[in-house]
Amino acid sequence: MSVAKEVTNVEAQVIAAKKAAKRVGLLSTEEKNEALYILADTLEKNHQVILAANEKDLLVGREKGYEEAYLDRLALSKERIVDFAEGLRQVAKLKDPAGEILSSWTLENGLLVEKVTVPLGVIGMIYEARPNVTVDATGLALKSGNAIILKGGSSALSSNKAIVQVMQGALNKTKIPKEAVQFIASTDRVATQQLFTMKEHIDVLIPRGGASLISAVVNNATVPVLETGVGNCHLYIDVEADVEKALNILVNAKTDRPAVCNALETVIIHKKWLEKNSELLITAFKEHGISIHGDKVALSYIPNAVLANEADWANEYLSLELAVKTVDSLDEAIVHIETYGTKHSEAIVTENKATAKKFMSLVDASALYHNASTRFTDGGALGFGAEIGISTQKLHARGPMGLPALMTIKYMMSGNGQTR
Amino acid sequence: MSVAKEVTNVEAQVIAAKKAAKRVGLLSTEEKNEALYILADTLEKNHQVILAANEKDLLVGREKGYEEAYLDRLALSKERIVDFAEGLRQVAKLKDPAGEILSSWTLENGLLVEKVTVPLGVIGMIYEARPNVTVDATGLALKSGNAIILKGGSSALSSNKAIVQVMQGALNKTKIPKEAVQFIASTDRVATQQLFTMKEHIDVLIPRGGASLISAVVNNATVPVLETGVGNCHLYIDVEADVEKALNILVNAKTDRPAVCNALETVIIHKKWLEKNSELLITAFKEHGISIHGDKVALSYIPNAVLANEADWANEYLSLELAVKTVDSLDEAIVHIETYGTKHSEAIVTENKATAKKFMSLVDASALYHNASTRFTDGGALGFGAEIGISTQKLHARGPMGLPALMTIKYMMSGNGQTR
């Protein structure tokens, strides 16, 4: 494989992917699944090659002074590579999303109309850091009959390149042409920007990573985008909230994995509930190391809290910091969420079903929770089997995106000479 | 109603629509349907006001020297207004697309997950000429629980304004706030451009009209767009095509309504079929006034045809002109469609089922036809009940768009304290 050619000719890679996509789209479920099992086995067998490449990335990262937590996410191990392989086997077991007749009917003139799922074609994945996306996205794209263009972040360049080389080698033993998986090895921005405008050849771009990566894609791409990402998630603790449920959900949503998009960023508390339960709340904050930015009422109850400013309400802390807003009513809570929310995941704790119903009807978000943690907004947790990202847009796919998000439809009409 | 205020404050209108959308989204099916019947009755009763306004548009159009065919499309009559009203009553009879539980399941931990359809919110409709879009789009938006911003073309300004005023008056007698239907009365481009970037308040823009209008929206809007429009449609007459079916479908697809997007623009003919049936073909072209731009082989059979150039293959004639391409094989036909097609509607005439299947699998378009006319790509013709446009994109909605295209989904999770 000529890396030099890859670097200099993004367009040729994309055109090759488009051509390969047609062939992947015609394969049977069995042929696609067999290929995924071969990919999985080959990744496991070649774990040393991948680990060696990963060492290079870690070395560069340490030289550049990256934080230890960042390097942890970047670091691979034999176990993690086995997990990657297992993920591909899980995808192989999922139902094939292609060729499903969603509905069919016959017109009065005898024309048969069938609405059938078909692959989108070429998926462009632009992502940062974690090399697992390289494997996960490839598995989902191939299972759904698509080709994929992978443009990973520069900090995982060697790891991603090694993973793709191993997978392309494995594809030679399958019915899937290896051109269906393309890796853009260039680290400059020009290569990424080229992908933004290749509307003729790329059917969708999916950005995964930080807010700046996502907004760069959304604001500059003419290729359709499936936007993922930012989650300024709220939990509203109603006056009729059960104390234990409220505290458990609050702590879980904030602390289980603070750096992810479905983590809690602001808790909105009914003043009467706060008045009754402030002691327990303060204990929970202390125990779990949660630091508070609160409004004036919140500050009158919570020691060591700092006064929240306008920026705090909009902030995705992605840490153990938490904003606390107090309200007199459900309506006030909803207005706050409307003003500062990002339509990702919003939760209410209440024993009053009518209140819960009102919250879930009126709040505009991809995932609404009554008496459960926002942390469940995840393809794996919700039982989708696998996830290509969490959509924060309303068109095409909303919330966690599994295989169906990588499909479009065709109307297929069969007649015997019908005219209008 | 202060028209001056409308003209100067597009943003205020859009914000009012967003607020109203929440209220429309909470109405019951019965409340929405009742409103549509009242709108229909009121339009009929006020037909004279609308016709008077239409006269103004026609007068201006004649002064500006618009073509007679264009003025015909702009002209209203009592009968056409009755048709508009009947269209609203048809929409009232359609199934409510909101609140449908598309799927639901319970996780092992007891968390109930429901995937529910909900309205998008605010729909921005940017369109040209025909005032029927004003009524049709409003009916579909309200039935699906959305608010709508209408930005019609300047040539129908008075007609559209009168129609909206009548509808807004009627809404006062319904549960739908009249702010749910907003008409942008400004004729300058600034107002349209303001709509392009109001991502916080408008959920989707739907452009309907000529290619330049659509590309202006697609290329400049940061609000998500449902692209409609350009159809460079092909008919492939296979070597095994039935002669009668081929000629009927060819004539129907080309001549029934040449100016619409599902009309035929290029016929691709297998050389052996052409050799056998050229006499009948020439007769059909003559009889229906179809003028031909053909390749060299086509020219050797068809008298009075002119040699097609590269531009002809890509041209959406929207008239009785037709390009004729000759091929030696199905594969050659597919390559031609891939090169010049716009992924709208593509047809094959053949008695060979395997050939038809190959064509329909390999050609990437929203609507594929075996032995039927491309003219059926239309919400009404396919039995959708109503249509807001024909999508030429692959994400969210593809092909004719009925009520479901105006919906998004919410995941609603109900638990009793579940955490991860």
Side-chain angles (χ1 to χ4, degrees), chain A residues 120 252 338 360 363 366 368 370-371 394 396 408 410 413 417 420, chain B residues 22 120 252 360 363 368 370-371 394 396 408 410-411 413 417 420:
Chain A
L120 279 168
N252 180 260
E338 261 172 26
M360 292 171 86
V363 175
S366 77
L368 284 308
H370 174 209
N371 289 346
K394 288 186 177 182
H396 190 67
T408 182
K410 267 183 184 179
M413 272 62 75
R420 272 184 90 182
Chain B
K22 291 209 168 269
L120 279 168
N252 178 260
M360 292 172 84
V363 175
L368 284 308
H370 173 211
N371 289 346
K394 288 185 177 183
H396 190 67
T408 183
K410 266 183 184 178
Y411 288 99
M413 271 63 73
R420 271 185 89 181

PDB file of all heavy atoms in Angstrom, chain A residues 120 252 338 360 363 366 368 370-371 394 396 408 410 413 417 420, chain B residues 22 120 252 360 363 368 370-371 394 396 408 410-411 413 417 420:
ATOM      1  N   LEU A 120     -26.855   4.164   2.151  1.00  0.00           N
ATOM      2  CA  LEU A 120     -26.629   5.536   1.699  1.00  0.00           C
ATOM      3  C   LEU A 120     -25.582   5.584   0.597  1.00  0.00           C
ATOM      4  O   LEU A 120     -25.699   6.353  -0.333  1.00  0.00           O
ATOM      5  CB  LEU A 120     -26.163   6.408   2.872  1.00  0.00           C
ATOM      6  CG  LEU A 120     -27.263   6.918   3.803  1.00  0.00           C
ATOM      7  CD1 LEU A 120     -26.659   7.519   5.064  1.00  0.00           C
ATOM      8  CD2 LEU A 120     -28.138   7.944   3.096  1.00  0.00           C
ATOM      9  N   ASN A 252     -25.434   9.764  39.683  1.00  0.00           N
ATOM     10  CA  ASN A 252     -25.066   8.929  38.543  1.00  0.00           C
ATOM     11  C   ASN A 252     -24.864   9.758  37.286  1.00  0.00           C
ATOM     12  O   ASN A 252     -23.858   9.610  36.573  1.00  0.00           O
ATOM     13  CB  ASN A 252     -26.149   7.873  38.311  1.00  0.00           C
ATOM     14  CG  ASN A 252     -25.829   6.975  37.133  1.00  0.00           C
ATOM     15  OD1 ASN A 252     -26.343   7.153  36.039  1.00  0.00           O
ATOM     16  ND2 ASN A 252     -24.933   6.014  37.340  1.00  0.00           N
ATOM     17  N   GLU A 338     -35.373  25.244  27.767  1.00  0.00           N
ATOM     18  CA  GLU A 338     -35.548  25.785  26.413  1.00  0.00           C
ATOM     19  C   GLU A 338     -34.477  26.807  26.078  1.00  0.00           C
ATOM     20  O   GLU A 338     -33.998  26.895  24.950  1.00  0.00           O
ATOM     21  CB  GLU A 338     -36.896  26.501  26.305  1.00  0.00           C
ATOM     22  CG  GLU A 338     -37.961  25.681  25.669  1.00  0.00           C
ATOM     23  CD  GLU A 338     -39.298  26.382  25.778  1.00  0.00           C
ATOM     24  OE1 GLU A 338     -39.342  27.622  25.877  1.00  0.00           O
ATOM     25  OE2 GLU A 338     -40.312  25.662  25.793  1.00  0.00           O
ATOM     26  N   MET A 360     -42.285  15.772  29.528  1.00  0.00           N
ATOM     27  CA  MET A 360     -41.833  14.998  28.379  1.00  0.00           C
ATOM     28  C   MET A 360     -42.490  15.446  27.073  1.00  0.00           C
ATOM     29  O   MET A 360     -41.918  15.297  26.004  1.00  0.00           O
ATOM     30  CB  MET A 360     -42.017  13.515  28.647  1.00  0.00           C
ATOM     31  CG  MET A 360     -41.028  13.088  29.753  1.00  0.00           C
ATOM     32  SD  MET A 360     -41.242  11.426  30.404  1.00  0.00           S
ATOM     33  CE  MET A 360     -40.300  10.449  29.246  1.00  0.00           C
ATOM     34  N   VAL A 363     -40.776  19.496  26.531  1.00  0.00           N
ATOM     35  CA  VAL A 363     -39.345  19.714  26.336  1.00  0.00           C
ATOM     36  C   VAL A 363     -38.914  19.102  25.000  1.00  0.00           C
ATOM     37  O   VAL A 363     -39.221  17.951  24.691  1.00  0.00           O
ATOM     38  CB  VAL A 363     -38.519  19.130  27.499  1.00  0.00           C
ATOM     39  CG1 VAL A 363     -37.024  19.251  27.207  1.00  0.00           C
ATOM     40  CG2 VAL A 363     -38.863  19.848  28.795  1.00  0.00           C
ATOM     41  N   SER A 366     -33.843  15.061  22.146  1.00  0.00           N
ATOM     42  CA  SER A 366     -33.847  13.728  21.533  1.00  0.00           C
ATOM     43  C   SER A 366     -34.233  12.651  22.535  1.00  0.00           C
ATOM     44  O   SER A 366     -34.854  11.662  22.177  1.00  0.00           O
ATOM     45  CB  SER A 366     -32.468  13.420  20.932  1.00  0.00           C
ATOM     46  OG  SER A 366     -31.537  13.065  21.923  1.00  0.00           O
ATOM     47  N   LEU A 368     -35.868  12.030  26.530  1.00  0.00           N
ATOM     48  CA  LEU A 368     -36.506  12.543  27.738  1.00  0.00           C
ATOM     49  C   LEU A 368     -36.596  11.411  28.745  1.00  0.00           C
ATOM     50  O   LEU A 368     -36.965  10.286  28.379  1.00  0.00           O
ATOM     51  CB  LEU A 368     -37.930  13.022  27.437  1.00  0.00           C
ATOM     52  CG  LEU A 368     -38.153  14.350  26.713  1.00  0.00           C
ATOM     53  CD1 LEU A 368     -37.385  15.473  27.403  1.00  0.00           C
ATOM     54  CD2 LEU A 368     -37.763  14.293  25.255  1.00  0.00           C
ATOM     55  N   HIS A 370     -38.030  10.107  32.587  1.00  0.00           N
ATOM     56  CA  HIS A 370     -38.801  10.255  33.813  1.00  0.00           C
ATOM     57  C   HIS A 370     -38.239   9.250  34.819  1.00  0.00           C
ATOM     58  O   HIS A 370     -38.275   8.041  34.586  1.00  0.00           O
ATOM     59  CB  HIS A 370     -40.293   9.981  33.538  1.00  0.00           C
ATOM     60  CG  HIS A 370     -41.137   9.970  34.782  1.00  0.00           C
ATOM     61  ND1 HIS A 370     -42.281   9.224  34.900  1.00  0.00           N
ATOM     62  CD2 HIS A 370     -40.972  10.621  35.970  1.00  0.00           C
ATOM     63  CE1 HIS A 370     -42.800   9.406  36.108  1.00  0.00           C
ATOM     64  NE2 HIS A 370     -42.031  10.249  36.778  1.00  0.00           N
ATOM     65  N   ASN A 371     -37.680   9.766  35.907  1.00  0.00           N
ATOM     66  CA  ASN A 371     -37.109   8.925  36.973  1.00  0.00           C
ATOM     67  C   ASN A 371     -36.015   7.972  36.479  1.00  0.00           C
ATOM     68  O   ASN A 371     -35.997   6.789  36.843  1.00  0.00           O
ATOM     69  CB  ASN A 371     -38.217   8.138  37.693  1.00  0.00           C
ATOM     70  CG  ASN A 371     -39.088   9.041  38.561  1.00  0.00           C
ATOM     71  OD1 ASN A 371     -38.729  10.185  38.832  1.00  0.00           O
ATOM     72  ND2 ASN A 371     -40.236   8.519  38.998  1.00  0.00           N
ATOM     73  N   LYS A 394     -32.567  17.104  14.174  1.00  0.00           N
ATOM     74  CA  LYS A 394     -33.923  16.550  14.131  1.00  0.00           C
ATOM     75  C   LYS A 394     -34.212  15.770  12.865  1.00  0.00           C
ATOM     76  O   LYS A 394     -35.116  14.949  12.838  1.00  0.00           O
ATOM     77  CB  LYS A 394     -34.947  17.682  14.252  1.00  0.00           C
ATOM     78  CG  LYS A 394     -35.044  18.291  15.631  1.00  0.00           C
ATOM     79  CD  LYS A 394     -36.190  19.293  15.632  1.00  0.00           C
ATOM     80  CE  LYS A 394     -36.383  19.889  17.013  1.00  0.00           C
ATOM     81  NZ  LYS A 394     -37.534  20.834  16.992  1.00  0.00           N
ATOM     82  N   HIS A 396     -33.605  13.121   9.728  1.00  0.00           N
ATOM     83  CA  HIS A 396     -33.021  11.811   9.400  1.00  0.00           C
ATOM     84  C   HIS A 396     -32.908  10.895  10.613  1.00  0.00           C
ATOM     85  O   HIS A 396     -33.491   9.818  10.631  1.00  0.00           O
ATOM     86  CB  HIS A 396     -31.664  11.947   8.712  1.00  0.00           C
ATOM     87  CG  HIS A 396     -31.157  10.649   8.162  1.00  0.00           C
ATOM     88  ND1 HIS A 396     -31.776  10.019   7.121  1.00  0.00           N
ATOM     89  CD2 HIS A 396     -30.128   9.844   8.524  1.00  0.00           C
ATOM     90  CE1 HIS A 396     -31.125   8.879   6.853  1.00  0.00           C
ATOM     91  NE2 HIS A 396     -30.142   8.751   7.691  1.00  0.00           N
ATOM     92  N   THR A 408     -30.877   4.786   3.421  1.00  0.00           N
ATOM     93  CA  THR A 408     -31.904   5.647   2.840  1.00  0.00           C
ATOM     94  C   THR A 408     -32.957   4.712   2.262  1.00  0.00           C
ATOM     95  O   THR A 408     -32.948   3.518   2.567  1.00  0.00           O
ATOM     96  CB  THR A 408     -31.311   6.607   1.776  1.00  0.00           C
ATOM     97  OG1 THR A 408     -32.363   7.449   1.285  1.00  0.00           O
ATOM     98  CG2 THR A 408     -30.673   5.875   0.609  1.00  0.00           C
ATOM     99  N   LYS A 410     -35.542   3.612  -1.310  1.00  0.00           N
ATOM    100  CA  LYS A 410     -35.895   3.735  -2.719  1.00  0.00           C
ATOM    101  C   LYS A 410     -37.360   3.364  -2.837  1.00  0.00           C
ATOM    102  O   LYS A 410     -37.809   2.425  -2.173  1.00  0.00           O
ATOM    103  CB  LYS A 410     -35.140   2.688  -3.539  1.00  0.00           C
ATOM    104  CG  LYS A 410     -33.842   3.087  -4.145  1.00  0.00           C
ATOM    105  CD  LYS A 410     -33.299   1.909  -4.975  1.00  0.00           C
ATOM    106  CE  LYS A 410     -31.936   2.224  -5.533  1.00  0.00           C
ATOM    107  NZ  LYS A 410     -31.384   1.099  -6.326  1.00  0.00           N
ATOM    108  N   MET A 413     -41.197   0.721  -8.245  1.00  0.00           N
ATOM    109  CA  MET A 413     -42.514   0.550  -8.835  1.00  0.00           C
ATOM    110  C   MET A 413     -42.463  -0.491  -9.953  1.00  0.00           C
ATOM    111  O   MET A 413     -41.657  -0.371 -10.876  1.00  0.00           O
ATOM    112  CB  MET A 413     -43.007   1.882  -9.408  1.00  0.00           C
ATOM    113  CG  MET A 413     -43.761   2.768  -8.438  1.00  0.00           C
ATOM    114  SD  MET A 413     -42.827   3.328  -7.002  1.00  0.00           S
ATOM    115  CE  MET A 413     -41.785   4.566  -7.763  1.00  0.00           C
ATOM    116  N   GLY A 417     -47.008  -1.410 -17.924  1.00  0.00           N
ATOM    117  CA  GLY A 417     -47.255  -0.386 -18.932  1.00  0.00           C
ATOM    118  C   GLY A 417     -48.035   0.812 -18.426  1.00  0.00           C
ATOM    119  O   GLY A 417     -48.478   1.647 -19.223  1.00  0.00           O
ATOM    120  N   ARG A 420     -49.821   7.881 -16.822  1.00  0.00           N
ATOM    121  CA  ARG A 420     -50.758   8.803 -16.162  1.00  0.00           C
ATOM    122  C   ARG A 420     -51.575   9.544 -17.200  1.00  0.00           C
ATOM    123  O   ARG A 420     -51.054   9.867 -18.273  1.00  0.00           O
ATOM    124  CB  ARG A 420     -50.013   9.833 -15.325  1.00  0.00           C
ATOM    125  CG  ARG A 420     -49.747   9.354 -13.937  1.00  0.00           C
ATOM    126  CD  ARG A 420     -49.096  10.446 -13.125  1.00  0.00           C
ATOM    127  NE  ARG A 420     -50.070  11.288 -12.455  1.00  0.00           N
ATOM    128  CZ  ARG A 420     -49.739  12.349 -11.695  1.00  0.00           C
ATOM    129  NH1 ARG A 420     -48.482  12.665 -11.551  1.00  0.00           N
ATOM    130  NH2 ARG A 420     -50.669  13.080 -11.105  1.00  0.00           N
TER     131      ARG A 420
ATOM    132  N   LYS B  22     -45.375  25.260  19.638  1.00  0.00           N
ATOM    133  CA  LYS B  22     -45.520  24.458  20.861  1.00  0.00           C
ATOM    134  C   LYS B  22     -46.993  24.190  21.148  1.00  0.00           C
ATOM    135  O   LYS B  22     -47.368  23.096  21.563  1.00  0.00           O
ATOM    136  CB  LYS B  22     -44.909  25.194  22.062  1.00  0.00           C
ATOM    137  CG  LYS B  22     -43.423  25.288  21.977  1.00  0.00           C
ATOM    138  CD  LYS B  22     -42.782  25.337  23.367  1.00  0.00           C
ATOM    139  CE  LYS B  22     -41.302  25.147  23.250  1.00  0.00           C
ATOM    140  NZ  LYS B  22     -40.876  23.761  23.355  1.00  0.00           N
ATOM    141  N   LEU B 120     -41.708  18.501  13.847  1.00  0.00           N
ATOM    142  CA  LEU B 120     -40.394  19.143  13.770  1.00  0.00           C
ATOM    143  C   LEU B 120     -40.389  20.468  14.519  1.00  0.00           C
ATOM    144  O   LEU B 120     -39.418  20.821  15.149  1.00  0.00           O
ATOM    145  CB  LEU B 120     -40.009  19.393  12.307  1.00  0.00           C
ATOM    146  CG  LEU B 120     -39.442  18.197  11.557  1.00  0.00           C
ATOM    147  CD1 LEU B 120     -39.372  18.496  10.067  1.00  0.00           C
ATOM    148  CD2 LEU B 120     -38.059  17.837  12.076  1.00  0.00           C
ATOM    149  N   ASN B 252     -46.087   9.175 -22.672  1.00  0.00           N
ATOM    150  CA  ASN B 252     -46.699   9.697 -21.456  1.00  0.00           C
ATOM    151  C   ASN B 252     -45.692  10.466 -20.609  1.00  0.00           C
ATOM    152  O   ASN B 252     -45.955  11.588 -20.155  1.00  0.00           O
ATOM    153  CB  ASN B 252     -47.296   8.539 -20.640  1.00  0.00           C
ATOM    154  CG  ASN B 252     -47.916   9.021 -19.336  1.00  0.00           C
ATOM    155  OD1 ASN B 252     -47.324   8.918 -18.277  1.00  0.00           O
ATOM    156  ND2 ASN B 252     -49.120   9.589 -19.427  1.00  0.00           N
ATOM    157  N   MET B 360     -33.028  -1.919 -11.259  1.00  0.00           N
ATOM    158  CA  MET B 360     -33.600  -1.293 -10.067  1.00  0.00           C
ATOM    159  C   MET B 360     -32.674  -1.393  -8.859  1.00  0.00           C
ATOM    160  O   MET B 360     -32.714  -0.551  -7.964  1.00  0.00           O
ATOM    161  CB  MET B 360     -34.982  -1.860  -9.788  1.00  0.00           C
ATOM    162  CG  MET B 360     -35.936  -1.403 -10.906  1.00  0.00           C
ATOM    163  SD  MET B 360     -37.578  -2.122 -10.914  1.00  0.00           S
ATOM    164  CE  MET B 360     -38.466  -1.101  -9.757  1.00  0.00           C
ATOM    165  N   VAL B 363     -29.312   1.226 -10.056  1.00  0.00           N
ATOM    166  CA  VAL B 363     -29.493   2.657 -10.288  1.00  0.00           C
ATOM    167  C   VAL B 363     -29.848   3.339  -8.966  1.00  0.00           C
ATOM    168  O   VAL B 363     -30.756   2.914  -8.253  1.00  0.00           O
ATOM    169  CB  VAL B 363     -30.562   2.923 -11.361  1.00  0.00           C
ATOM    170  CG1 VAL B 363     -30.809   4.426 -11.496  1.00  0.00           C
ATOM    171  CG2 VAL B 363     -30.121   2.353 -12.697  1.00  0.00           C
ATOM    172  N   LEU B 368     -37.672   4.149  -8.825  1.00  0.00           N
ATOM    173  CA  LEU B 368     -37.296   3.291  -9.953  1.00  0.00           C
ATOM    174  C   LEU B 368     -38.557   2.634 -10.495  1.00  0.00           C
ATOM    175  O   LEU B 368     -39.391   2.162  -9.714  1.00  0.00           O
ATOM    176  CB  LEU B 368     -36.349   2.179  -9.487  1.00  0.00           C
ATOM    177  CG  LEU B 368     -34.880   2.492  -9.203  1.00  0.00           C
ATOM    178  CD1 LEU B 368     -34.246   3.206 -10.390  1.00  0.00           C
ATOM    179  CD2 LEU B 368     -34.684   3.311  -7.953  1.00  0.00           C
ATOM    180  N   HIS B 370     -40.293  -0.174 -13.255  1.00  0.00           N
ATOM    181  CA  HIS B 370     -40.221  -1.239 -14.245  1.00  0.00           C
ATOM    182  C   HIS B 370     -41.563  -1.259 -14.983  1.00  0.00           C
ATOM    183  O   HIS B 370     -42.611  -1.482 -14.380  1.00  0.00           O
ATOM    184  CB  HIS B 370     -39.954  -2.590 -13.568  1.00  0.00           C
ATOM    185  CG  HIS B 370     -40.020  -3.763 -14.496  1.00  0.00           C
ATOM    186  ND1 HIS B 370     -40.417  -5.015 -14.107  1.00  0.00           N
ATOM    187  CD2 HIS B 370     -39.735  -3.852 -15.829  1.00  0.00           C
ATOM    188  CE1 HIS B 370     -40.384  -5.841 -15.147  1.00  0.00           C
ATOM    189  NE2 HIS B 370     -39.980  -5.155 -16.197  1.00  0.00           N
ATOM    190  N   ASN B 371     -41.511  -0.983 -16.284  1.00  0.00           N
ATOM    191  CA  ASN B 371     -42.708  -0.963 -17.120  1.00  0.00           C
ATOM    192  C   ASN B 371     -43.793  -0.006 -16.622  1.00  0.00           C
ATOM    193  O   ASN B 371     -44.981  -0.349 -16.575  1.00  0.00           O
ATOM    194  CB  ASN B 371     -43.290  -2.383 -17.268  1.00  0.00           C
ATOM    195  CG  ASN B 371     -42.416  -3.271 -18.147  1.00  0.00           C
ATOM    196  OD1 ASN B 371     -41.529  -2.773 -18.855  1.00  0.00           O
ATOM    197  ND2 ASN B 371     -42.671  -4.574 -18.119  1.00  0.00           N
ATOM    198  N   LYS B 394     -30.945  12.195   0.098  1.00  0.00           N
ATOM    199  CA  LYS B 394     -31.049  10.839   0.632  1.00  0.00           C
ATOM    200  C   LYS B 394     -31.375  10.803   2.122  1.00  0.00           C
ATOM    201  O   LYS B 394     -31.859   9.800   2.614  1.00  0.00           O
ATOM    202  CB  LYS B 394     -29.727  10.097   0.412  1.00  0.00           C
ATOM    203  CG  LYS B 394     -29.470   9.712  -1.030  1.00  0.00           C
ATOM    204  CD  LYS B 394     -28.208   8.877  -1.087  1.00  0.00           C
ATOM    205  CE  LYS B 394     -27.924   8.389  -2.491  1.00  0.00           C
ATOM    206  NZ  LYS B 394     -26.733   7.525  -2.494  1.00  0.00           N
ATOM    207  N   HIS B 396     -33.250  11.789   5.691  1.00  0.00           N
ATOM    208  CA  HIS B 396     -34.558  12.146   6.263  1.00  0.00           C
ATOM    209  C   HIS B 396     -35.739  11.680   5.414  1.00  0.00           C
ATOM    210  O   HIS B 396     -36.547  10.903   5.878  1.00  0.00           O
ATOM    211  CB  HIS B 396     -34.666  13.647   6.520  1.00  0.00           C
ATOM    212  CG  HIS B 396     -35.886  14.005   7.314  1.00  0.00           C
ATOM    213  ND1 HIS B 396     -36.040  13.622   8.613  1.00  0.00           N
ATOM    214  CD2 HIS B 396     -37.037  14.664   6.992  1.00  0.00           C
ATOM    215  CE1 HIS B 396     -37.220  14.049   9.069  1.00  0.00           C
ATOM    216  NE2 HIS B 396     -37.834  14.677   8.098  1.00  0.00           N
ATOM    217  N   THR B 408     -40.221  14.515  13.464  1.00  0.00           N
ATOM    218  CA  THR B 408     -38.986  13.945  13.968  1.00  0.00           C
ATOM    219  C   THR B 408     -39.395  12.944  15.051  1.00  0.00           C
ATOM    220  O   THR B 408     -40.569  12.582  15.130  1.00  0.00           O
ATOM    221  CB  THR B 408     -38.018  15.030  14.494  1.00  0.00           C
ATOM    222  OG1 THR B 408     -36.801  14.394  14.910  1.00  0.00           O
ATOM    223  CG2 THR B 408     -38.592  15.815  15.659  1.00  0.00           C
ATOM    224  N   LYS B 410     -38.790  11.472  19.287  1.00  0.00           N
ATOM    225  CA  LYS B 410     -38.234  11.619  20.634  1.00  0.00           C
ATOM    226  C   LYS B 410     -38.112  10.221  21.215  1.00  0.00           C
ATOM    227  O   LYS B 410     -39.013   9.400  21.011  1.00  0.00           O
ATOM    228  CB  LYS B 410     -39.243  12.354  21.528  1.00  0.00           C
ATOM    229  CG  LYS B 410     -39.104  13.832  21.660  1.00  0.00           C
ATOM    230  CD  LYS B 410     -40.165  14.339  22.655  1.00  0.00           C
ATOM    231  CE  LYS B 410     -40.137  15.855  22.758  1.00  0.00           C
ATOM    232  NZ  LYS B 410     -41.193  16.344  23.684  1.00  0.00           N
ATOM    233  N   TYR B 411     -37.038   9.976  21.938  1.00  0.00           N
ATOM    234  CA  TYR B 411     -36.996   8.777  22.771  1.00  0.00           C
ATOM    235  C   TYR B 411     -37.496   9.164  24.150  1.00  0.00           C
ATOM    236  O   TYR B 411     -36.969  10.093  24.761  1.00  0.00           O
ATOM    237  CB  TYR B 411     -35.572   8.209  22.855  1.00  0.00           C
ATOM    238  CG  TYR B 411     -35.108   7.563  21.573  1.00  0.00           C
ATOM    239  CD1 TYR B 411     -34.296   8.239  20.674  1.00  0.00           C
ATOM    240  CD2 TYR B 411     -35.519   6.272  21.236  1.00  0.00           C
ATOM    241  CE1 TYR B 411     -33.885   7.652  19.482  1.00  0.00           C
ATOM    242  CE2 TYR B 411     -35.109   5.674  20.051  1.00  0.00           C
ATOM    243  CZ  TYR B 411     -34.296   6.371  19.180  1.00  0.00           C
ATOM    244  OH  TYR B 411     -33.897   5.784  18.009  1.00  0.00           O
ATOM    245  N   MET B 413     -38.127   7.848  27.942  1.00  0.00           N
ATOM    246  CA  MET B 413     -37.748   6.777  28.858  1.00  0.00           C
ATOM    247  C   MET B 413     -38.453   6.950  30.198  1.00  0.00           C
ATOM    248  O   MET B 413     -38.362   8.020  30.815  1.00  0.00           O
ATOM    249  CB  MET B 413     -36.234   6.789  29.075  1.00  0.00           C
ATOM    250  CG  MET B 413     -35.434   5.954  28.094  1.00  0.00           C
ATOM    251  SD  MET B 413     -35.504   6.461  26.360  1.00  0.00           S
ATOM    252  CE  MET B 413     -34.503   7.936  26.413  1.00  0.00           C
ATOM    253  N   GLY B 417     -36.057   5.116  38.886  1.00  0.00           N
ATOM    254  CA  GLY B 417     -34.792   5.437  39.552  1.00  0.00           C
ATOM    255  C   GLY B 417     -33.567   4.814  38.910  1.00  0.00           C
ATOM    256  O   GLY B 417     -32.490   4.829  39.496  1.00  0.00           O
ATOM    257  N   ARG B 420     -26.887   4.161  35.644  1.00  0.00           N
ATOM    258  CA  ARG B 420     -25.917   3.270  34.963  1.00  0.00           C
ATOM    259  C   ARG B 420     -24.718   3.033  35.848  1.00  0.00           C
ATOM    260  O   ARG B 420     -24.312   3.926  36.583  1.00  0.00           O
ATOM    261  CB  ARG B 420     -25.415   3.926  33.679  1.00  0.00           C
ATOM    262  CG  ARG B 420     -26.258   3.617  32.495  1.00  0.00           C
ATOM    263  CD  ARG B 420     -25.646   4.198  31.247  1.00  0.00           C
ATOM    264  NE  ARG B 420     -24.709   3.270  30.616  1.00  0.00           N
ATOM    265  CZ  ARG B 420     -24.026   3.561  29.514  1.00  0.00           C
ATOM    266  NH1 ARG B 420     -24.180   4.714  28.935  1.00  0.00           N
ATOM    267  NH2 ARG B 420     -23.203   2.666  28.991  1.00  0.00           N
TER     268      ARG B 420
END
